[in-house]
Amino acid sequence: MNIPAGHVMIVAAVLLATGLFGVIVRRNIVLVLMSLEIMLNAAALAFVAGGSARGADGQVMFLLILTLAAAEVSVGLALVLQLYRRFKTLDVSAAASMKG
Amino acid sequence: MMTRDLLALGPMLITAGGAVVLLLALAVCRSHAFASAWSVLVLAAALAAIPMTWPGAPASGDLLNLLAIDSWALAFWGIIFGSALVVCLLGFEYFRPLAVQAEEFYVLVLLSATGAAVLAAADHFATVFLGLELLSVSLFALAAYRRDQAISIEAGIKYLVLAGTSSALLLFGLALLYFHTASLRLSGLAGPLLAGHPDTIALYAGIALVLVAMGFKLGLAPMHVWTPDVYQGSPAPVSALVGSVSKAGAMAFMVRLAGVTLTGTPGVRNGVFYGLLVLAIASMFTGNLLALRQPNIKRLLAYSSIAHMGYCLLAVLPMAAGAALDRQAVFYYMLAHAVSILGAFGCVCAASENGREAQHVEDYRGLAWRRPVLAGVFSLMLLSLAGIPLTAGFLGKFYVLASGVRNALWLPAVCLVINSGIGLFYYLRVLGTLYQREEAESPDQFATSTAPSALLQPSPQLLLTHLTLAALVVLLIYFGLMPALASLPM
């Protein structure tokens, strides 16, 4: 059975919206990072869908995104550790002192 | 890969290689003085390599597919590497009295400068993404570098979440564009847009997502909310880096993007034009109005930089292919902004003592009576940000306004003039504070060690910071009097 690339793009768009929603409503920093991962993977899926229709370039982009998402999340987890050490919580609203 | 490719990539290879060598060297022996001297040396070598690459040595096909190393990219590499050099010089005396390990700061500065350089030369979706991520990931770590302070961690986390979201949006936008144009090249966008592609809406959606991500990096309203928090929470040299290196790289790419997505015919305007117009006007007003009553100097500079990026967009609006004068205006504006914002944050570094930053405008009350030279330098930087003649900021604003008037962009040009007036108010407010005599303080205030007078005593340990500030003043006046660099062929 052949799935049209356009349908995959729709799934990717839904995933992106899911991730964005998670980033906005979640208060736990680990879940925020997971939502960020979902958004990045949505973009990666869209590149794979594009690649299946337009040639191998999209798959190469997928590999790049995979690597860089890992780099981003490792720095993110280091910051999660710092947040926990300083505030003894994973709730991002604890770190909201700056205003104005 | 050929020799001329290596030559064309020279400055970028020097900074990337310098960062790796430094990282390896730090594994063997940790020395703050060595790390800072090495990074200054590497950045100076990268700057020196730019004129050697200058004619825009035509690279072979492999390289041309990914990066466009033309005079535009090289000019911005000059701003980027020069600003990173200043940040390393300021960082040395900023981090020396602190208890944090400062060596990795220089590795991260080198990496972020490399990322901004890749972004400034990017002509392919892969390099756009690589450059932006290299820049962002280094900046998360830099923003949270002062682990001893809660607001630094807060700044790092805020930047992480928002920059991560914006790069995911950027990627999705690029994927949409790839899906509909079958090309990963930036220059592949122009044809389908002009020829009335069947899926124009999808193309515009893709471009809008990319614009949102770049607007985020530049701190354009309404994507500006991170700017004041990150400027305030980061260590002062990092705020200077965010204001100069990151903005220069993003603006260089913004101009390339505008060059291929705006229509070349004068008078014919598409959605991208109106999008940029709204961003420009919104940024000018948001930045200036929020800065009006801001008591924190770092937040004030953040709001002022939001407004400045709005002004600069005025010269991006007419950016169709071949508009050399508008390109020169953008370049000169970014150069002047980098010098002024580095100088302003340099003064914040110089006024800070023992790890406590002088963030509040009140900390600067009467500075002119205690440290007249520093107050003079700070005034000069603020006047340049306000766009007063004889400073680089004035000429930058003049070129941008001239570009707007030449292209009959009356609405944003009028907004720029109105906002320059609003901006003058808060720069002069800070300036006035600098020269006010301190009122007689109550005795108990005298006793506390955090009283401003104790905080701002001249210190002999800030020799390097003062020399750097002196060099920035010379540059500021030089660019303000002799705009020779503005006539670089671009």
Side-chain angles (χ1 to χ4, degrees):
Chain A
M1 192 179 80
N2 236 345
I3 302 172
H7 293 188
V8 184
M9 286 301 275
I10 293 170
V11 174
V14 171
L15 269 178
L16 186 83
T18 313
L20 189 60
F21 183 74
V23 169
I24 293 168
V25 301
R26 287 291 180 180
R27 295 265 69 92
N28 185 314
I29 182 73
V30 177
L31 290 173
V32 171
L33 280 182
M34 280 167 65
S35 305
L36 274 182
E37 270 312 86
I38 293 175
M39 286 180 79
L40 282 171
N41 283 326
L45 180 63
F47 267 110
V48 172
S52 74
R54 317 279 179 199
D57 287 359
Q59 269 75 0
V60 177
M61 282 299 284
F62 170 75
L63 289 177
L64 268 180
I65 295 170
L66 207 66
T67 335
L68 276 158
E72 195 173 298
V73 123
S74 62
V75 177
L77 286 175
L79 279 173
V80 170
L81 274 182
Q82 291 300 330
L83 178 83
Y84 186 74
R85 276 197 196 140
R86 160 101 14 200
F87 298 101
K88 297 289 170 225
T89 171
L90 288 175
D91 190 350
V92 271
S93 40
S97 62
M98 287 184 280
K99 297 250 157 49
Chain B
M1 209 59 169
M2 297 158 74
T3 325
R4 58 181 181 185
D5 288 0
L6 288 177
L7 193 67
L9 278 175
M12 204 192 282
L13 287 180
I14 291 174
T15 51
V20 174
V21 170
L22 181 57
L23 205 55
L24 290 175
L26 288 179
V28 180
C29 122
R30 298 188 71 86
S31 155
H32 187 191
F34 166 74
S36 81
W38 172 259
S39 53
V40 166
L41 209 67
V42 164
L43 287 164
L47 274 179
I50 290 175
M52 286 182 227
T53 321
W54 180 258
S60 68
D62 300 344
L63 194 55
L64 276 180
N65 267 326
L66 291 172
L67 294 166
I69 303 179
D70 44 16
S71 48
W72 176 250
L74 287 170
F76 269 83
W77 286 6
I79 301 184
I80 290 166
F81 295 140
S83 310
L85 181 70
V86 171
V87 169
C88 286
L89 289 172
L90 292 176
F92 181 63
E93 280 165 340
Y94 179 88
F95 282 108
R96 198 171 46 182
L98 299 184
V100 291
Q101 289 189 322
E103 288 84 3
E104 277 78 14
F105 169 78
Y106 302 97
V107 178
L108 290 167
V109 170
L110 286 175
L111 285 176
S112 61
T114 313
V118 172
L119 188 59
D123 193 32
H124 190 276
F125 293 169
T127 36
V128 173
F129 175 58
L130 274 175
L132 195 79
E133 284 293 282
L134 191 50
L135 180 62
S136 305
V137 175
S138 320
L139 284 178
F140 308 151
L142 280 172
Y145 205 85
R146 287 198 64 179
R147 284 176 294 164
D148 53 329
Q149 290 204 330
I151 58 166
S152 189
I153 297 172
E154 182 182 335
I157 285 175
K158 282 182 172 167
Y159 196 63
L160 166 77
V161 172
L162 289 171
T165 312
S166 89
S167 48
L169 292 178
L170 170 93
L171 272 176
F172 199 81
L174 294 179
L176 268 180
L177 293 174
Y178 171 59
F179 190 78
H180 289 286
T181 62
S183 159
L184 284 174
R185 293 288 301 278
L186 198 59
S187 34
L189 283 179
L193 269 181
L194 285 182
H197 193 271
D199 292 312
T200 326
I201 296 176
L203 279 185
Y204 274 124
I207 293 172
L209 286 173
V210 177
L211 277 184
V212 166
M214 295 324 290
F216 169 85
K217 264 271 161 284
L218 288 171
L220 296 171
M223 285 81 74
H224 68 281
V225 281
W226 62 278
T227 326
D229 288 351
V230 169
Y231 274 55
Q232 186 193 345
S234 308
V238 176
S239 313
L241 188 80
V242 176
S244 53
V245 170
S246 147
K247 301 247 152 117
M251 189 55 92
F253 175 71
M254 190 70 140
V255 167
R256 267 186 216 283
L257 183 71
V260 291
T261 53
L262 293 170
T263 51
T265 344
V268 182
R269 289 161 180 183
N270 58 11
V272 181
F273 177 88
Y274 291 109
L276 286 175
L277 184 72
V278 168
L279 287 181
I281 295 177
S283 309
M284 290 181 203
F285 280 103
T286 314
N288 280 322
L289 292 177
L290 288 176
L292 277 182
R293 298 188 56 77
Q294 181 51 245
N296 184 308
I297 195 87
K298 286 170 94 183
R299 291 183 88 86
L300 187 135
L301 289 171
Y303 285 125
S304 119
S305 86
I306 294 171
H308 277 283
M309 292 305 115
Y311 299 155
C312 192
L313 272 196
L314 175 54
V316 179
L317 283 173
M319 197 60 69
L325 281 171
D326 304 320
R327 284 165 161 262
Q328 284 161 357
V330 175
F331 167 70
Y332 208 76
Y333 199 88
M334 294 312 289
L335 179 69
H337 182 258
V339 174
S340 329
I341 205 89
L342 285 168
F345 277 111
C347 291
V348 174
C349 287
S352 305
E353 283 279 297
N354 300 326
R356 185 194 171 280
E357 284 182 3
Q359 286 203 350
H360 207 272
V361 174
E362 287 306 308
D363 291 340
Y364 294 83
R365 183 175 296 279
L367 186 72
W369 306 99
R370 293 188 305 273
R371 296 173 70 178
V373 180
L374 181 62
V377 172
F378 200 16
S379 321
L380 209 57
M381 297 302 165
L382 288 172
L383 289 177
S384 173
L385 285 171
I388 303 293
L390 299 185
T391 59
F394 168 72
L395 275 180
K397 204 175 262 183
F398 174 79
Y399 284 134
V400 164
L401 192 61
S403 159
V405 169
R406 195 172 50 243
N407 293 289
L409 297 166
W410 301 114
L411 177 66
V414 167
C415 288
L416 187 146
V417 173
I418 295 173
N419 276 285
S420 298
I422 304 176
L424 207 54
F425 172 77
Y426 60 85
Y427 295 121
L428 288 182
R429 178 168 64 85
V430 178
L431 217 58
T433 317
L434 287 179
Y435 291 92
Q436 265 168 11
R437 272 198 187 278
E438 273 173 291
E439 297 115 39
E441 288 169 333
S442 53
D444 61 313
Q445 233 179 336
F446 243 129
T448 56
S449 62
T450 50
S453 54
L455 186 76
L456 297 172
Q457 288 305 314
S459 138
Q461 290 121 37
L462 290 174
L463 182 67
L464 196 59
T465 307
H466 289 159
L467 287 177
T468 312
L469 283 176
L472 284 172
V473 167
V474 171
L475 281 180
L476 191 80
I477 304 282
Y478 176 76
F479 290 141
L481 293 176
M482 303 187 188
L485 276 183
S487 50
L488 285 175
M490 281 177 199

